[in-house]
mmCIF file of all heavy atoms in Angstrom:
data_model
loop_
_atom_site.group_PDB
_atom_site.id
_atom_site.type_symbol
_atom_site.label_atom_id
_atom_site.label_comp_id
_atom_site.label_asym_id
_atom_site.label_seq_id
_atom_site.Cartn_x
_atom_site.Cartn_y
_atom_site.Cartn_z
ATOM 1 N N ALA A 387 -35.590 -9.349 -8.906
ATOM 2 C CA ALA A 387 -36.223 -10.325 -9.759
ATOM 3 C C ALA A 387 -37.191 -11.184 -8.949
ATOM 4 O O ALA A 387 -38.246 -11.543 -9.335
ATOM 5 C CB ALA A 387 -35.200 -11.094 -10.458
ATOM 6 N N GLU A 388 -36.769 -11.534 -7.733
ATOM 7 C CA GLU A 388 -37.629 -12.401 -6.850
ATOM 8 C C GLU A 388 -38.962 -11.732 -6.572
ATOM 9 O O GLU A 388 -40.031 -12.397 -6.527
ATOM 10 C CB GLU A 388 -36.896 -12.773 -5.547
ATOM 11 C CG GLU A 388 -35.659 -13.523 -5.770
ATOM 12 C CD GLU A 388 -34.439 -12.657 -6.086
ATOM 13 O OE1 GLU A 388 -34.676 -11.460 -6.067
ATOM 14 O OE2 GLU A 388 -33.366 -13.202 -6.295
ATOM 15 N N ASN A 389 -38.942 -10.412 -6.310
ATOM 16 C CA ASN A 389 -40.113 -9.732 -6.008
ATOM 17 C C ASN A 389 -40.855 -9.210 -7.212
ATOM 18 O O ASN A 389 -41.885 -8.646 -7.164
ATOM 19 C CB ASN A 389 -39.880 -8.504 -5.060
ATOM 20 C CG ASN A 389 -39.419 -8.982 -3.700
ATOM 21 O OD1 ASN A 389 -39.579 -10.127 -3.395
ATOM 22 N ND2 ASN A 389 -38.751 -8.059 -2.986
ATOM 23 N N GLY A 390 -40.295 -9.377 -8.427
ATOM 24 C CA GLY A 390 -40.849 -8.870 -9.680
ATOM 25 C C GLY A 390 -40.775 -7.388 -9.732
ATOM 26 O O GLY A 390 -41.740 -6.772 -10.320
ATOM 27 N N GLU A 391 -39.743 -6.730 -9.166
ATOM 28 C CA GLU A 391 -39.669 -5.265 -9.106
ATOM 29 C C GLU A 391 -38.598 -4.780 -10.046
ATOM 30 O O GLU A 391 -37.509 -5.290 -10.117
ATOM 31 C CB GLU A 391 -39.305 -4.843 -7.650
ATOM 32 C CG GLU A 391 -40.472 -5.001 -6.683
ATOM 33 C CD GLU A 391 -40.017 -4.523 -5.286
ATOM 34 O OE1 GLU A 391 -38.828 -4.517 -5.003
ATOM 35 O OE2 GLU A 391 -40.900 -4.238 -4.503
ATOM 36 N N PHE A 392 -38.991 -3.833 -10.899
ATOM 37 C CA PHE A 392 -38.089 -3.217 -11.831
ATOM 38 C C PHE A 392 -38.125 -1.686 -11.711
ATOM 39 O O PHE A 392 -39.250 -1.106 -11.340
ATOM 40 C CB PHE A 392 -38.474 -3.608 -13.228
ATOM 41 C CG PHE A 392 -38.292 -5.098 -13.464
ATOM 42 C CD1 PHE A 392 -39.195 -6.032 -13.088
ATOM 43 C CD2 PHE A 392 -37.215 -5.526 -14.196
ATOM 44 C CE1 PHE A 392 -39.043 -7.354 -13.301
ATOM 45 C CE2 PHE A 392 -36.998 -6.931 -14.447
ATOM 46 C CZ PHE A 392 -37.962 -7.840 -13.993
ATOM 47 N N LEU A 393 -37.017 -1.020 -11.991
ATOM 48 C CA LEU A 393 -36.964 0.444 -11.943
ATOM 49 C C LEU A 393 -37.008 1.030 -13.310
ATOM 50 O O LEU A 393 -36.232 0.629 -14.163
ATOM 51 C CB LEU A 393 -35.696 0.875 -11.201
ATOM 52 C CG LEU A 393 -35.495 2.392 -10.972
ATOM 53 C CD1 LEU A 393 -36.513 2.906 -9.995
ATOM 54 C CD2 LEU A 393 -34.092 2.687 -10.518
ATOM 55 N N ILE A 394 -37.824 2.023 -13.486
ATOM 56 C CA ILE A 394 -37.903 2.767 -14.756
ATOM 57 C C ILE A 394 -37.448 4.178 -14.483
ATOM 58 O O ILE A 394 -37.879 4.799 -13.551
ATOM 59 C CB ILE A 394 -39.334 2.764 -15.314
ATOM 60 C CG1 ILE A 394 -39.891 1.367 -15.528
ATOM 61 C CG2 ILE A 394 -39.410 3.569 -16.711
ATOM 62 C CD1 ILE A 394 -41.407 1.372 -15.985
ATOM 63 N N VAL A 395 -36.503 4.637 -15.270
ATOM 64 C CA VAL A 395 -36.078 6.038 -15.244
ATOM 65 C C VAL A 395 -36.540 6.694 -16.470
ATOM 66 O O VAL A 395 -36.193 6.312 -17.553
ATOM 67 C CB VAL A 395 -34.521 6.090 -15.147
ATOM 68 C CG1 VAL A 395 -34.110 7.581 -14.965
ATOM 69 C CG2 VAL A 395 -33.988 5.310 -13.938
ATOM 70 N N LEU A 396 -37.397 7.691 -16.265
ATOM 71 C CA LEU A 396 -38.081 8.387 -17.348
ATOM 72 C C LEU A 396 -37.107 9.422 -18.059
ATOM 73 O O LEU A 396 -35.963 9.652 -17.557
ATOM 74 C CB LEU A 396 -39.348 9.084 -16.900
ATOM 75 C CG LEU A 396 -40.382 8.230 -16.358
ATOM 76 C CD1 LEU A 396 -41.576 9.055 -15.836
ATOM 77 C CD2 LEU A 396 -40.787 7.095 -17.236
ATOM 78 N N ASN A 397 -37.560 9.982 -19.136
ATOM 79 C CA ASN A 397 -36.812 10.951 -19.869
ATOM 80 C C ASN A 397 -36.439 12.185 -19.043
ATOM 81 O O ASN A 397 -35.455 12.854 -19.415
ATOM 82 C CB ASN A 397 -37.533 11.275 -21.157
ATOM 83 C CG ASN A 397 -36.543 11.818 -22.226
ATOM 84 O OD1 ASN A 397 -35.419 11.465 -22.254
ATOM 85 N ND2 ASN A 397 -37.132 12.505 -23.158
ATOM 86 N N ASP A 398 -37.155 12.502 -18.060
ATOM 87 C CA ASP A 398 -36.968 13.702 -17.232
ATOM 88 C C ASP A 398 -36.197 13.289 -15.940
ATOM 89 O O ASP A 398 -36.055 14.174 -15.050
ATOM 90 C CB ASP A 398 -38.229 14.503 -16.998
ATOM 91 C CG ASP A 398 -39.219 13.597 -16.260
ATOM 92 O OD1 ASP A 398 -38.991 12.383 -16.063
ATOM 93 O OD2 ASP A 398 -40.280 14.122 -15.913
ATOM 94 N N GLY A 399 -35.871 12.025 -15.777
ATOM 95 C CA GLY A 399 -35.151 11.571 -14.575
ATOM 96 C C GLY A 399 -35.960 11.081 -13.489
ATOM 97 O O GLY A 399 -35.432 10.588 -12.466
ATOM 98 N N CYS A 400 -37.290 11.127 -13.606
ATOM 99 C CA CYS A 400 -38.214 10.688 -12.561
ATOM 100 C C CYS A 400 -38.112 9.124 -12.475
ATOM 101 O O CYS A 400 -37.937 8.427 -13.463
ATOM 102 C CB CYS A 400 -39.589 11.044 -12.856
ATOM 103 S SG CYS A 400 -39.872 12.810 -12.598
ATOM 104 N N LEU A 401 -38.247 8.589 -11.193
ATOM 105 C CA LEU A 401 -38.156 7.170 -10.994
ATOM 106 C C LEU A 401 -39.589 6.575 -10.925
ATOM 107 O O LEU A 401 -40.445 7.149 -10.155
ATOM 108 C CB LEU A 401 -37.353 6.872 -9.772
ATOM 109 C CG LEU A 401 -35.953 7.406 -9.656
ATOM 110 C CD1 LEU A 401 -35.222 6.953 -8.368
ATOM 111 C CD2 LEU A 401 -35.142 7.040 -10.874
ATOM 112 N N VAL A 402 -39.769 5.404 -11.475
ATOM 113 C CA VAL A 402 -41.072 4.756 -11.478
ATOM 114 C C VAL A 402 -40.719 3.265 -11.108
ATOM 115 O O VAL A 402 -39.867 2.628 -11.650
ATOM 116 C CB VAL A 402 -41.758 4.834 -12.778
ATOM 117 C CG1 VAL A 402 -43.173 4.071 -12.764
ATOM 118 C CG2 VAL A 402 -42.044 6.239 -13.240
ATOM 119 N N LEU A 403 -41.570 2.811 -10.133
ATOM 120 C CA LEU A 403 -41.407 1.314 -9.778
ATOM 121 C C LEU A 403 -42.404 0.567 -10.550
ATOM 122 O O LEU A 403 -43.652 0.708 -10.533
ATOM 123 C CB LEU A 403 -41.623 1.145 -8.268
ATOM 124 C CG LEU A 403 -41.473 -0.284 -7.742
ATOM 125 C CD1 LEU A 403 -40.032 -0.681 -7.854
ATOM 126 C CD2 LEU A 403 -41.932 -0.270 -6.297
ATOM 127 N N LEU A 404 -41.933 -0.455 -11.365
ATOM 128 C CA LEU A 404 -42.747 -1.390 -12.061
ATOM 129 C C LEU A 404 -42.676 -2.706 -11.353
ATOM 130 O O LEU A 404 -41.689 -3.326 -11.029
ATOM 131 C CB LEU A 404 -42.168 -1.613 -13.498
ATOM 132 C CG LEU A 404 -42.712 -2.740 -14.333
ATOM 133 C CD1 LEU A 404 -44.216 -2.483 -14.682
ATOM 134 C CD2 LEU A 404 -41.929 -2.924 -15.667
ATOM 135 N N THR A 405 -43.893 -3.218 -10.994
ATOM 136 C CA THR A 405 -44.126 -4.412 -10.245
ATOM 137 C C THR A 405 -44.922 -5.442 -10.971
ATOM 138 O O THR A 405 -46.011 -5.089 -11.521
ATOM 139 C CB THR A 405 -44.747 -4.102 -8.873
ATOM 140 O OG1 THR A 405 -44.083 -3.100 -8.228
ATOM 141 C CG2 THR A 405 -44.749 -5.349 -8.039
ATOM 142 N N PHE A 406 -44.371 -6.646 -11.080
ATOM 143 C CA PHE A 406 -45.153 -7.776 -11.724
ATOM 144 C C PHE A 406 -45.922 -8.592 -10.658
ATOM 145 O O PHE A 406 -45.224 -8.958 -9.668
ATOM 146 C CB PHE A 406 -44.214 -8.656 -12.564
ATOM 147 C CG PHE A 406 -43.749 -8.017 -13.834
ATOM 148 C CD1 PHE A 406 -42.623 -7.211 -13.892
ATOM 149 C CD2 PHE A 406 -44.471 -8.237 -14.996
ATOM 150 C CE1 PHE A 406 -42.252 -6.608 -15.023
ATOM 151 C CE2 PHE A 406 -43.971 -7.589 -16.242
ATOM 152 C CZ PHE A 406 -42.887 -6.833 -16.202
ATOM 153 N N ARG A 407 -47.073 -8.887 -10.862
ATOM 154 C CA ARG A 407 -47.743 -9.803 -10.032
ATOM 155 C C ARG A 407 -47.556 -11.215 -10.562
ATOM 156 O O ARG A 407 -48.027 -11.632 -11.575
ATOM 157 C CB ARG A 407 -49.227 -9.504 -9.917
ATOM 158 C CG ARG A 407 -49.580 -8.168 -9.301
ATOM 159 C CD ARG A 407 -51.055 -7.943 -9.089
ATOM 160 N NE ARG A 407 -51.731 -7.852 -10.385
ATOM 161 C CZ ARG A 407 -51.821 -6.719 -11.117
ATOM 162 N NH1 ARG A 407 -51.298 -5.574 -10.670
ATOM 163 N NH2 ARG A 407 -52.539 -6.736 -12.255
ATOM 164 N N VAL A 408 -46.867 -12.041 -9.823
ATOM 165 C CA VAL A 408 -46.461 -13.366 -10.177
ATOM 166 C C VAL A 408 -47.151 -14.458 -9.297
ATOM 167 O O VAL A 408 -46.974 -14.383 -8.068
ATOM 168 C CB VAL A 408 -44.947 -13.575 -10.160
ATOM 169 C CG1 VAL A 408 -44.561 -14.927 -10.703
ATOM 170 C CG2 VAL A 408 -44.267 -12.450 -11.010
ATOM 171 N N ASP A 409 -47.852 -15.267 -9.948
ATOM 172 C CA ASP A 409 -48.527 -16.421 -9.126
ATOM 173 C C ASP A 409 -47.741 -17.718 -9.563
ATOM 174 O O ASP A 409 -48.010 -18.244 -10.672
ATOM 175 C CB ASP A 409 -50.002 -16.572 -9.470
ATOM 176 C CG ASP A 409 -50.753 -15.321 -9.093
ATOM 177 O OD1 ASP A 409 -50.343 -14.645 -8.157
ATOM 178 O OD2 ASP A 409 -51.818 -14.992 -9.725
ATOM 179 N N GLY A 410 -46.836 -18.102 -8.728
ATOM 180 C CA GLY A 410 -45.920 -19.240 -9.165
ATOM 181 C C GLY A 410 -45.088 -18.785 -10.268
ATOM 182 O O GLY A 410 -44.120 -18.001 -10.128
ATOM 183 N N ARG A 411 -45.248 -19.449 -11.515
ATOM 184 C CA ARG A 411 -44.490 -19.045 -12.687
ATOM 185 C C ARG A 411 -45.347 -18.249 -13.620
ATOM 186 O O ARG A 411 -44.936 -18.066 -14.786
ATOM 187 C CB ARG A 411 -43.966 -20.255 -13.298
ATOM 188 C CG ARG A 411 -42.853 -21.015 -12.442
ATOM 189 C CD ARG A 411 -41.708 -20.095 -12.168
ATOM 190 N NE ARG A 411 -41.076 -19.554 -13.403
ATOM 191 C CZ ARG A 411 -40.042 -20.235 -14.073
ATOM 192 N NH1 ARG A 411 -39.647 -21.397 -13.587
ATOM 193 N NH2 ARG A 411 -39.597 -19.755 -15.107
ATOM 194 N N ILE A 412 -46.570 -17.831 -13.278
ATOM 195 C CA ILE A 412 -47.459 -17.218 -14.207
ATOM 196 C C ILE A 412 -47.599 -15.705 -13.796
ATOM 197 O O ILE A 412 -47.833 -15.392 -12.678
ATOM 198 C CB ILE A 412 -48.852 -17.904 -14.259
ATOM 199 C CG1 ILE A 412 -48.721 -19.350 -14.646
ATOM 200 C CG2 ILE A 412 -49.848 -17.168 -15.130
ATOM 201 C CD1 ILE A 412 -49.945 -20.147 -14.454
ATOM 202 N N VAL A 413 -47.425 -14.802 -14.828
ATOM 203 C CA VAL A 413 -47.574 -13.430 -14.586
ATOM 204 C C VAL A 413 -49.070 -13.117 -14.731
ATOM 205 O O VAL A 413 -49.643 -13.389 -15.790
ATOM 206 C CB VAL A 413 -46.723 -12.607 -15.540
ATOM 207 C CG1 VAL A 413 -47.009 -11.089 -15.314
ATOM 208 C CG2 VAL A 413 -45.232 -12.814 -15.369
ATOM 209 N N SER A 414 -49.666 -12.522 -13.729
ATOM 210 C CA SER A 414 -51.089 -12.167 -13.731
ATOM 211 C C SER A 414 -51.297 -10.640 -13.994
ATOM 212 O O SER A 414 -52.453 -10.303 -14.138
ATOM 213 C CB SER A 414 -51.694 -12.573 -12.418
ATOM 214 O OG SER A 414 -51.179 -11.935 -11.315
ATOM 215 N N GLY A 415 -50.293 -9.873 -13.978
ATOM 216 C CA GLY A 415 -50.470 -8.479 -14.296
ATOM 217 C C GLY A 415 -49.270 -7.631 -13.912
ATOM 218 O O GLY A 415 -48.299 -8.206 -13.350
ATOM 219 N N LEU A 416 -49.299 -6.382 -14.229
ATOM 220 C CA LEU A 416 -48.194 -5.434 -13.857
ATOM 221 C C LEU A 416 -48.756 -4.083 -13.563
ATOM 222 O O LEU A 416 -49.852 -3.772 -14.029
ATOM 223 C CB LEU A 416 -47.159 -5.406 -15.003
ATOM 224 C CG LEU A 416 -47.580 -4.787 -16.388
ATOM 225 C CD1 LEU A 416 -46.342 -4.371 -17.185
ATOM 226 C CD2 LEU A 416 -48.247 -5.900 -17.196
ATOM 227 N N SER A 417 -48.128 -3.435 -12.721
ATOM 228 C CA SER A 417 -48.525 -2.131 -12.283
ATOM 229 C C SER A 417 -47.325 -1.191 -12.145
ATOM 230 O O SER A 417 -46.226 -1.632 -11.883
ATOM 231 C CB SER A 417 -49.347 -2.202 -11.032
ATOM 232 O OG SER A 417 -48.527 -2.695 -9.991
ATOM 233 N N LEU A 418 -47.654 0.162 -12.096
ATOM 234 C CA LEU A 418 -46.554 1.081 -11.959
ATOM 235 C C LEU A 418 -46.846 1.995 -10.803
ATOM 236 O O LEU A 418 -48.090 2.342 -10.474
ATOM 237 C CB LEU A 418 -46.398 1.931 -13.230
ATOM 238 C CG LEU A 418 -45.783 1.199 -14.473
ATOM 239 C CD1 LEU A 418 -46.932 0.705 -15.293
ATOM 240 C CD2 LEU A 418 -44.933 2.078 -15.296
ATOM 241 N N ARG A 419 -45.824 2.599 -10.206
ATOM 242 C CA ARG A 419 -45.968 3.542 -9.150
ATOM 243 C C ARG A 419 -44.855 4.515 -9.094
ATOM 244 O O ARG A 419 -43.694 4.134 -9.200
ATOM 245 C CB ARG A 419 -46.007 2.821 -7.760
ATOM 246 C CG ARG A 419 -46.112 3.752 -6.524
ATOM 247 C CD ARG A 419 -46.324 2.881 -5.271
ATOM 248 N NE ARG A 419 -45.248 1.983 -4.983
ATOM 249 C CZ ARG A 419 -44.185 2.365 -4.372
ATOM 250 N NH1 ARG A 419 -44.009 3.566 -3.907
ATOM 251 N NH2 ARG A 419 -43.201 1.465 -4.115
ATOM 252 N N LEU A 420 -45.127 5.778 -9.130
ATOM 253 C CA LEU A 420 -44.151 6.791 -9.068
ATOM 254 C C LEU A 420 -43.476 6.797 -7.679
ATOM 255 O O LEU A 420 -44.106 6.735 -6.685
ATOM 256 C CB LEU A 420 -44.746 8.180 -9.325
ATOM 257 C CG LEU A 420 -44.884 8.603 -10.787
ATOM 258 C CD1 LEU A 420 -45.781 9.857 -10.946
ATOM 259 C CD2 LEU A 420 -43.526 8.985 -11.380
ATOM 260 N N ILE A 421 -42.151 6.966 -7.742
ATOM 261 C CA ILE A 421 -41.405 7.103 -6.461
ATOM 262 C C ILE A 421 -41.464 8.546 -6.033
ATOM 263 O O ILE A 421 -41.285 9.517 -6.839
ATOM 264 C CB ILE A 421 -39.897 6.720 -6.635
ATOM 265 C CG1 ILE A 421 -39.817 5.337 -7.228
ATOM 266 C CG2 ILE A 421 -39.157 6.831 -5.332
ATOM 267 C CD1 ILE A 421 -40.279 4.194 -6.321
ATOM 268 N N ALA A 422 -41.947 8.744 -4.831
ATOM 269 C CA ALA A 422 -42.151 10.150 -4.325
ATOM 270 C C ALA A 422 -40.803 10.850 -4.249
ATOM 271 O O ALA A 422 -39.786 10.218 -3.939
ATOM 272 C CB ALA A 422 -42.797 10.080 -2.961
ATOM 273 N N PRO A 423 -40.771 12.201 -4.372
ATOM 274 C CA PRO A 423 -39.510 12.894 -4.243
ATOM 275 C C PRO A 423 -38.802 12.767 -2.899
ATOM 276 O O PRO A 423 -37.598 12.668 -2.824
ATOM 277 C CB PRO A 423 -39.934 14.422 -4.562
ATOM 278 C CG PRO A 423 -41.164 14.286 -5.287
ATOM 279 C CD PRO A 423 -41.875 13.084 -4.835
ATOM 280 N N GLU A 424 -39.617 12.725 -1.850
ATOM 281 C CA GLU A 424 -39.051 12.515 -0.507
ATOM 282 C C GLU A 424 -38.383 11.135 -0.310
ATOM 283 O O GLU A 424 -37.597 10.932 0.522
ATOM 284 C CB GLU A 424 -40.042 12.758 0.623
ATOM 285 C CG GLU A 424 -41.254 11.932 0.475
ATOM 286 C CD GLU A 424 -42.419 12.573 -0.328
ATOM 287 O OE1 GLU A 424 -42.086 13.543 -1.055
ATOM 288 O OE2 GLU A 424 -43.563 12.173 -0.120
ATOM 289 N N ALA A 425 -38.755 10.169 -1.131
ATOM 290 C CA ALA A 425 -38.103 8.847 -1.147
ATOM 291 C C ALA A 425 -36.970 8.717 -2.146
ATOM 292 O O ALA A 425 -36.454 7.596 -2.472
ATOM 293 C CB ALA A 425 -39.189 7.768 -1.404
ATOM 294 N N GLY A 426 -36.605 9.856 -2.753
ATOM 295 C CA GLY A 426 -35.497 9.868 -3.712
ATOM 296 C C GLY A 426 -35.921 9.714 -5.207
ATOM 297 O O GLY A 426 -35.149 9.363 -6.038
ATOM 298 N N GLY A 427 -37.239 10.040 -5.414
ATOM 299 C CA GLY A 427 -37.752 9.849 -6.826
ATOM 300 C C GLY A 427 -37.200 10.857 -7.812
ATOM 301 O O GLY A 427 -37.343 10.737 -9.010
ATOM 302 N N SER A 428 -36.589 11.897 -7.280
ATOM 303 C CA SER A 428 -36.111 12.999 -8.190
ATOM 304 C C SER A 428 -34.563 13.220 -8.038
ATOM 305 O O SER A 428 -34.078 14.363 -8.290
ATOM 306 C CB SER A 428 -36.844 14.287 -7.832
ATOM 307 O OG SER A 428 -36.639 14.672 -6.501
#
Side-chain angles (χ1 to χ4, degrees):
E388 296 84 1
N389 295 341
E391 292 178 335
F392 294 78
L393 181 69
I394 304 177
V395 183
L396 300 181
N397 203 20
D398 58 357
C400 291
L401 303 185
V402 180
L403 183 65
L404 169 64
T405 306
F406 287 87
R407 295 186 295 276
V408 183
D409 300 330
R411 293 300 303 272
I412 300 174
V413 175
S414 59
L416 62 159
S417 62
L418 293 94
R419 177 173 60 86
L420 273 167
I421 305 293
E424 54 269 19
S428 58

